[in-house]
Amino acid sequence: MPMAVQEKRARAESKPTKVQTGSRLFEPYRALGYIASNTPHSIQYRGQSAFVTVGIGRSFHVYDAEKINLIFVGPQFDADVNSLLSIGDETFVSSDGQIIVCKRGKRIGELEQVNRGEINNLMQFGDHIIGISEDNTVVIWDKNNREIFTEIEFQSESFRVTSVVHPSTYVNKIVVGSAQGVMQVWNIQTRKCLYEFKSFGSGITCMVQAPVIDVLALGLLDGRILLHNIKLDRPVMQLAQEGRVTAASFRTDDVPMMATANAEGDVALWDLDKKRLMHVLQGAHDSSIPSIDFLTGQPLLVTSSADNSIKEWLFEGNEGIPRLLRHRSGHFASPQMIRYYGDDGRTILSAGRDRTLRFFSVFRDSQSTEMSQGSLGRESRARRISVNDLRLPQTIQFASNAAKTKDWDDVISCQQGSKAAHTWSVDRKALGKYTFESSDGTVVNAVEISACGNFGLLGLSSGVIEMVNMQSGMSRRTFAGHTKAVTGIQTDSCNLHIYSTSLDGSLRIWDFATGKQLHCIALPSAPSRLVMHGEGGLLACACDDACVRVVDAESLRVVRKFSGHRNRITDLAFSNDGRWIVTGSLDSTIRTWDLPTGHMVDWFRVESVPVSLAFSPSGDFLATAHMDSVGIFLWANRTQFSDVSLRQINPATDGSDEEGAGAALVTMPTSAGLADDSNEQNDAMDVEENSDRGVYLAPEQLTDNMVTLSSLPKSKWQTLLNLATIKKRNMPEKAPRVPEQAPFFLPTVEGVEHRFDLNDDRQNAADSTADGASENSKIISVTSENALTRILYDTQDVLKYEAVFDYLMKLNPSAIDFEIRTLPVDDDLRAIKAFIRATTAQLHSKRNFELTQAYLQVFLNVFGDVIRENAAELESLLKELRKESRAQWNTVDGLIRYSACMVEFMRASK
């Protein structure tokens, strides 16, 4: 083996599989948009209420059937859920070859391990649980002691087990169906095959007990549905549908109806009396339907599908045609672009590869819905095509503005390969009024809405930008100058300028009113994304060379360049305060760049490639969408609830390789939060350990020449200055009323009439008078010295006044005001003089300038008359205080004026 190959293998083997660190800035919070999967659901009844349990990846959800509200979220398992079964309060979940028992969303135990691979088709049989293992064995557990009751093995060549059912009233009997089309009856007590039916000519895909005893419904691979009497071994009825049968169910409300589903998402409804097809719900789902169930005694059909949706269909009348009563759905293909809608950070708009635009609520899942594209179901039935073929092409970019959401459409989108842009209304949750065709017949690649919400901007593949009116739908003007396709458009908050990027490698600035090009900035690489922070006036371009270039909109210069990604940047977003830029890349890393320092301050790696990012307008969450996931993932911003020390991260010194393996592999958020609390705690500990290395702790005073304004929050000293106004505002409008009756604990005299015992009070008063000062006297002796006075006396003797302000800084504004007002004046002004000297010393130290001025103002307001009466005695101290105060203010004023002049000079020098 060559030496280079040996060294490469040795390096690969020496590297840890998972870096034991976590993100400093972001913590997994929760996942949105997970509703159902291709795992068959399970329905359980608690009294009159029904609950639907569905698998979602590595966990499960429990919904109430009445409104499809989420009740419980299961724990996170190590592998995907293959099958599940709900019995009473317990949920049995098959995952990674083991059966896990959960109760009310919490893991409480496991069934005995069988080591036979994955377990599917869990089914209840009295006190037993039956499952089909991957090695073609029917495994039966005792539900009470959770041990294996028995196992029945089959030969895969002659009998491949596909489904199991327990026929009603058959004691210890189960019917097993196979992929060869053969069906057998087994006694689980004796483990003997009692009877074998002849082959039905096609593989059995599902079996369901009919409402009639001895009759089973068999779904076959060729689309036939057989109703077979297993006691007489005679066929009762044969029906046929398009596509293989995936599930079947019977109505139990005295209506002879059966529903069957196929792998194309259709549901067929059969009249069992007339033995004919009543109706086909074509395109009921966009993917295979693994399970359907009629609710017991109700005309409601529950369907769940791999298209990430649950639907309830209501049957009204005798026509047999149901209507969609309620549903819950999410993307059934990964989102490609997500953006927060509005300024409150409560809703997210998402465009996915499933050709839908969806509205997600961050806090209330029941408000999440798909933006309607019209009556596609009715049109699909009329034209006999699928609903998905009628949807708009995949949305590649959209923009929104909530300023005019009640007046007209507030979202505009462009679709892949489409020569038109479409408007949407978030208020109506539907497609809007207008379709804007490109004037030159070229494809629309980018869109944007102005800050006022009145105008929409379309970037064409020809390089032209068109402006349209969102209210009237009329074209306003065009912006011509780019030579290649436009990739991004942004506008400022005042409708003065338009910023655009193109594959020609340029960033151009246009006059909003006239359409003239004002400036053109040539970039070293073609930009693929453009975002803008309006308040900061910064533009960030994601370029094809995996670099982010930040352009100042005022000076029109590239002020920052961030490089480090090892593959193409998929999306980027500014933080709400404009301090950070968060980027996602095909190298599966999410990186955070600090704009003031120009350094990368955080990075972490995820299992799936991030394709889109959005930072909450309130700054509390980062939302991400990933290539292999149908959900939207929320990451909590740690700086919102804890102190985070940031330092520069240099991948070259942190052990990274070409794939970014030096970044922390962070667990993705789940529907119920972090997957494992222990992992969360370990990651948090690792973060703290790693964050302590190389962290620069700023001293209280940087240099002796600088003045520190205040080390406390601004509200501390501002409240102190306005304390009188606050107390007046909070004063009660009415005086407190004296209680009409005395408290219940006063002594009373025995008898029918309720009277207080006054003799006891007189006796106590007499005893107190006789004994002099009683220990229970209510007269409290008040000392004339408060805590501040004692500290002033102590520090005056040693001429070190730091303790005075250290004590005041620990108090709240009301306590500070009280301490200053209660300084004594009958001690030959000793406390007054000490406070003046302490204030002078604090000003001389150049620390907490604003705080010291606030304390001084309160002091002068309280003792101004005392100072005037003793001006001669205090003259020297006051002159020294005024001299020091002016000196420090001149320093602060000079720095402010200097900074203002520098900013004005930089603006004028562009």
Side-chain angles (χ1 to χ4, degrees), residues 417-527:
S418 175
K419 300 177 182 180
H422 299 268
T423 62
W424 305 76
S425 172
V426 172
D427 186 46
R428 296 186 295 107
K429 306 293 187 303
L431 194 64
K433 295 171 55 178
Y434 300 113
T435 298
F436 300 114
E437 300 282 347
S438 60
S439 58
D440 55 5
T442 56
V443 175
V444 182
N445 286 340
V447 290
E448 177 62 12
I449 294 182
S450 62
C452 61
N454 294 328
F455 301 99
L457 298 166
L458 283 61
L460 310 182
S461 58
S462 61
V464 176
I465 300 174
E466 295 185 9
M467 179 187 290
V468 294
N469 189 287
M470 296 291 291
Q471 181 182 10
S472 64
M474 300 178 62
S475 177
R476 290 306 181 192
R477 63 182 62 89
T478 59
F479 305 79
H482 286 296
T483 58
K484 293 184 179 180
V486 178
T487 57
I489 307 173
Q490 294 291 327
T491 64
D492 60 9
S493 57
C494 300
N495 283 359
L496 296 178
H497 302 111
I498 296 175
Y499 308 90
S500 62
T501 55
S502 169
L503 292 179
D504 60 11
S506 66
L507 168 63
R508 299 175 188 258
I509 297 92
W510 314 83
D511 186 274
F512 192 97
T514 62
K516 295 181 179 179
Q517 178 179 312
L518 302 178
H519 302 281
C520 178
I521 302 173
L523 300 175
S525 180

Side-chain angles (χ1 to χ4, degrees), residues 95-134:
S95 176
D96 198 22
Q98 58 182 344
I99 308 300
I100 304 163
V101 185
C102 300
K103 185 176 181 180
R104 300 180 69 87
K106 303 296 183 181
R107 184 171 181 164
I108 61 173
E110 299 176 2
L111 298 185
E112 184 179 348
Q113 187 79 18
V114 294
N115 297 322
R116 291 184 175 274
E118 299 291 349
I119 307 295
N120 298 301
N121 296 80
L122 292 181
M123 182 193 73
Q124 183 184 8
F125 179 20
D127 290 334
H128 300 89
I129 294 175
I130 301 177
I132 304 174
S133 67
E134 189 176 4

